[in-house]
Amino acid sequence: MKNIITANGHPKAKDELKQVCKVLIEVEKTKDYPKFYSFLKTTKVPFISCYEKDVRKVYQESFRVLHRIGEVSIPVSVALSMHYYVLASFASYPFSKTSTVYWKREVLLNKIKKEGLLIANTGSVRTYKDASGNTKIMAKKENDSYIINGKAPFMSLAGIADYLVFTAELSEGSNAVFFIPSNNNSIVFEDSVFGDTMQGSFTKSVTFENLNVPSSNVIQLDQSEQERCEILVYQRSWFQALVPAPYLGAAYRVILQLKEFSGKKIKNGKTLSESERFSDTVGDLMIKYKAACQLCEQAGVLLEDFRVSNKSSLEKLFEASVVAKHFSTHYAEEIVNQTRSLMGTRFLTPGSITNKVYKEIVFGALQPMTDTDIRDYFGKQLMYKKI
């Protein structure tokens, strides 16, 4: 039985992914990341959702791609996970064919596929509100367009993506999703606090200054409170289910580095790999890795099982995605830390993949939902929900 990582996609897609990773390996040496993203857009790799309609296959292929790219670069894979989850959730949500939203979506998907467009988005809600003066994104209707003002603190692929996706609050209190080209003078990108640690992700803050967006580029979420909630929760579930892939890919790469190290390190006439104790330790790392992959795969199954207006299916999906994100990112971090203790100073060799991963692996648990959010959610489920 093929699992979420080894599942085979279309042969051409496999060849393209192999070439994408080959280019990325070279770009990691030069740090010319725009070159990588330009090449990526010439392939079908980022556009799985535009070609495949089976939700579970979309998830499996997307996860596999992000995992493989994560073996080379966490920042690049994390950035692409933002594109993947927005595109996948938008493409797979079961809008009614009689709705205007459905046809708007089909037109946009066709445009993305035909022109090879990458999407950046403003990310999920954070645990703490910003007291530094950052304003939320607001939209004001003027004739047949909207005027957007506000600031989002984090956006991956900023300045690289062709289109931006964000949710803004309308003056009457409802929300709408906006799709706009990124090359607009009313959009200002500024470097985020991560510096070189997440180089390649192009994570920046974005400010909208009287940005004019035509109504044709807007999907309103104000039809009903239930539908609005469903769409946003469904989208967040895709995010939580996909974002572990980069970190698990990196953790797996570290395990492979440990395997190579163990075959060369000799003590008392034996290689480290011949030690029973070492085998036991590596087994523990693989258990964590496999368990994390299984949790993610289960979230993919529930994405396929989601049904509109079915509160139970949405709740199960959301909780499965949160659990997958929580344990996967923590297990990935534990794998890296345990490997560091086994490899010692060799692990921290400047310029090594293990040293690079060590600095980046911590971002997994910090991405929303954070541990604080997750504990709060499940705590309230116990305290306030009837059992």
Side-chain angles (χ1 to χ4, degrees):
M1 178 179 173
K2 294 180 176 66
N3 63 27
I4 195 171
I5 304 304
T6 61
N8 292 322
H10 190 279
K12 184 176 180 181
K14 287 180 64 180
D15 291 340
E16 284 192 329
L17 177 57
K18 186 176 181 179
Q19 185 62 29
V20 163
C21 291
K22 183 178 179 180
V23 171
L24 181 56
I25 289 170
E26 291 304 310
V27 165
E28 281 291 307
K29 300 173 185 176
T30 63
K31 306 303 179 185
D32 186 6
Y33 292 106
K35 177 182 177 181
F36 167 75
Y37 288 110
S38 294
F39 171 76
L40 180 69
K41 292 195 295 180
T42 67
T43 74
K44 291 185 177 181
V45 172
F47 310 114
I48 297 167
S49 302
C50 297
Y51 294 94
E52 176 61 63
K53 298 304 179 184
D54 184 291
V55 176
R56 191 172 178 183
K57 287 182 180 179
V58 169
Y59 175 73
Q60 289 178 331
E61 283 299 294
S62 299
F63 192 98
R64 186 174 66 86
V65 168
L66 294 171
H67 182 284
R68 181 66 188 91
I69 293 176
E71 293 178 44
V72 181
S73 171
I74 287 179
V76 170
S77 187
V78 167
L80 288 175
S81 72
M82 305 302 161
H83 163 87
Y84 273 84
Y85 96 79
V86 170
L87 186 55
S89 60
F90 180 62
S92 61
Y93 188 84
F95 292 114
S96 169
K97 289 187 177 181
T98 60
S99 68
T100 304
V101 175
Y102 176 89
W103 295 107
K104 276 190 176 183
R105 176 183 67 184
E106 295 307 298
V107 169
L108 184 60
L109 288 177
N110 186 60
K111 181 180 178 67
I112 291 170
K113 178 173 64 174
K114 185 177 180 180
E115 299 180 21
L117 305 176
L118 288 181
I119 299 172
N121 73 295
T122 55
S124 303
V125 177
R126 295 273 162 175
T127 304
Y128 302 106
K129 292 183 178 179
D130 194 342
S132 67
N134 286 349
T135 58
K136 59 184 177 180
I137 304 172
M138 299 294 298
K140 182 180 179 181
K141 184 74 181 291
E142 287 192 3
N143 300 319
D144 196 36
S145 63
Y146 293 81
I147 305 300
I148 311 296
N149 283 283
K151 183 172 184 177
F154 301 103
M155 178 185 282
S156 295
L157 289 179
I160 290 292
D162 305 283
Y163 261 66
L164 308 185
V165 177
F166 60 91
T167 301
E169 184 176 320
L170 306 181
S171 55
E172 64 268 23
S174 59
N175 295 314
V177 177
F178 294 78
F179 298 84
I180 56 170
S182 60
N183 57 341
N184 191 302
N185 291 333
S186 295
I187 305 172
V188 179
F189 298 111
E190 297 178 90
D191 289 338
S192 72
V193 297
F194 302 135
D196 290 341
T197 307
M198 291 295 279
Q199 189 178 5
S201 71
F202 290 92
T203 302
K204 303 175 184 291
S205 66
V206 56
T207 301
F208 301 105
E209 299 175 346
N210 294 316
L211 173 67
N212 188 297
V213 181
S215 296
S216 58
N217 289 50
V218 181
I219 294 179
Q220 292 200 31
L221 303 178
D222 55 355
Q223 289 85 351
S224 71
E225 181 65 31
Q226 181 180 5
E227 179 176 306
R228 181 163 67 249
C229 178
E230 277 196 356
I231 294 172
L232 296 178
V233 173
Y234 182 73
Q235 184 185 66
R236 173 172 275 200
S237 297
W238 268 97
F239 170 77
Q240 305 281 6
L242 281 178
V243 80
Y247 299 97
L248 288 175
Y252 182 68
R253 175 75 181 277
V254 166
I255 291 174
L256 294 180
Q257 292 294 115
L258 176 61
K259 179 184 177 181
E260 182 180 346
F261 172 82
S262 69
K264 298 177 180 179
K265 190 71 172 178
I266 299 175
K267 184 178 181 180
N268 299 326
K270 289 185 177 182
T271 62
L272 185 60
S273 60
E274 295 176 294
S275 165
E276 185 174 332
R277 183 177 178 183
F278 178 79
S279 179
D280 184 69
T281 302
V282 172
D284 181 59
L285 300 183
M286 285 303 296
I287 288 172
K288 290 175 180 176
Y289 170 76
K290 292 285 188 179
C293 290
Q294 290 288 341
L295 287 172
C296 293
E297 185 159 19
Q298 178 59 23
V301 171
L302 293 176
L303 279 168
E304 183 181 38
D305 291 343
F306 168 73
R307 297 292 181 271
V308 173
S309 301
N310 188 319
K311 185 177 180 181
S312 176
S313 73
L314 184 64
E315 185 176 290
K316 287 179 181 178
L317 164 60
F318 179 71
E319 292 189 352
S321 71
V322 171
V323 168
K325 184 268 175 183
H326 177 75
F327 285 103
S328 295
T329 53
H330 278 286
Y331 281 164
E333 191 171 348
E334 288 176 23
I335 288 168
V336 171
N337 286 332
Q338 286 181 253
T339 303
R340 175 180 55 83
S341 68
L342 289 168
M343 291 180 63
T345 54
R346 183 74 63 84
F347 185 92
L348 298 174
T349 302
S352 66
I353 185 65
T354 49
N355 187 36
K356 185 175 186 295
V357 169
Y358 182 60
K359 296 174 182 177
E360 298 166 349
I361 201 72
V362 296
F363 284 94
L366 299 177
Q367 292 187 261
M369 295 171 64
T370 64
D371 289 354
T372 301
D373 293 321
I374 293 169
R375 286 193 292 266
D376 182 63
Y377 172 82
F378 283 103
K380 287 178 177 177
Q381 286 292 90
L382 174 65
M383 298 303 294
Y384 302 117
K385 187 176 180 179
K386 293 181 180 180
I387 300 177

